[in-house]
Amino acid sequence: MNAPMENLPQDIRALMVTVASGRVLVPNALVSEIITAAAPEPVPGAPAWIRGRVNWRGWRVPLFSLSILAGIADAESPLNAKVTVLKALGGNPRLPFMAMTCVGFPRLTTVASNELLPAGDAASSVERPGVLMDVLLREDRAMLPDLPAIQRLIEETMDLRAA
């Protein structure tokens, strides 16, 4: 049974997360915690966008750089480095969380459906791995991450597929 449209939320709480060379807009409900970055445990043979694993609340969480994956930055800056721990959406017990590099603390914002607009036109948009689309929220340009796709890439790269 479908819920009537008038019962759907009109506003969504989200975080505007600064990353190397850009911003990412993520629903607040998917963010578990923002932590200070520490040197991650390396993952042998992993691509540059997988920064390693970080220890968080007893978990060894894969750390990724959306900026490097999407091709908008070649490296991450250690200045004011933080980590955004995200809930993974795939239901994989081997990957309940993943972490994204970020710069500083995110800004909490409310997103009304009429305020979120596609940035640019479809003809000029460039597909980038890990990015659903570029958006404008008021004056801020941001990327909407494709978290299920990123999770699949992490699972494949780190051999964390569900058993």
Side-chain angles (χ1 to χ4, degrees):
M1 181 175 181
N2 291 334
M5 291 297 284
E6 61 270 3
N7 291 341
L8 294 176
Q10 297 300 309
D11 297 337
I12 295 173
R13 299 293 283 165
L15 289 175
M16 187 68 75
V17 181
T18 302
V19 296
S21 301
R23 290 192 183 109
V24 180
L25 186 64
V26 241
N28 190 43
L30 294 181
V31 177
S32 294
E33 191 172 358
I34 309 297
I35 59 175
T36 300
E41 170 192 335
V43 175
W49 64 270
I50 293 184
R51 309 306 293 158
R53 288 186 177 97
V54 292
N55 290 316
W56 177 74
R57 298 187 183 210
W59 292 93
R60 291 175 56 226
V61 180
L63 176 65
F64 70 93
S65 166
L66 182 58
S67 297
I68 295 173
L69 175 62
I72 63 169
D74 295 327
E76 292 285 340
S77 170
L79 296 175
N80 206 13
K82 303 286 184 212
V83 171
T84 303
V85 179
L86 302 163
K87 296 171 190 164
L89 300 172
N92 180 346
R94 296 184 67 197
L95 187 60
F97 302 98
M98 52 190 183
M100 179 177 67
T101 59
C102 64
V103 179
F105 285 101
R107 179 174 40 107
L108 187 60
T109 187
T110 300
V111 180
S113 59
N114 64 343
E115 291 180 319
L116 192 63
L117 304 169
D121 58 31
S124 68
S125 68
V126 176
E127 281 195 34
R128 294 182 314 269
V131 178
L132 280 174
M133 67 186 302
D134 291 317
V135 294
L136 287 172
L137 177 62
R138 296 176 282 282
E139 296 86 37
D140 291 323
R141 185 180 181 103
M143 297 177 282
L144 291 183
D146 188 346
L147 294 175
I150 294 168
Q151 181 175 342
R152 282 190 303 276
L153 287 170
I154 290 171
E155 289 170 345
E156 292 167 5
T157 304
M158 297 179 72
D159 197 24
L160 294 174
R161 293 178 199 95

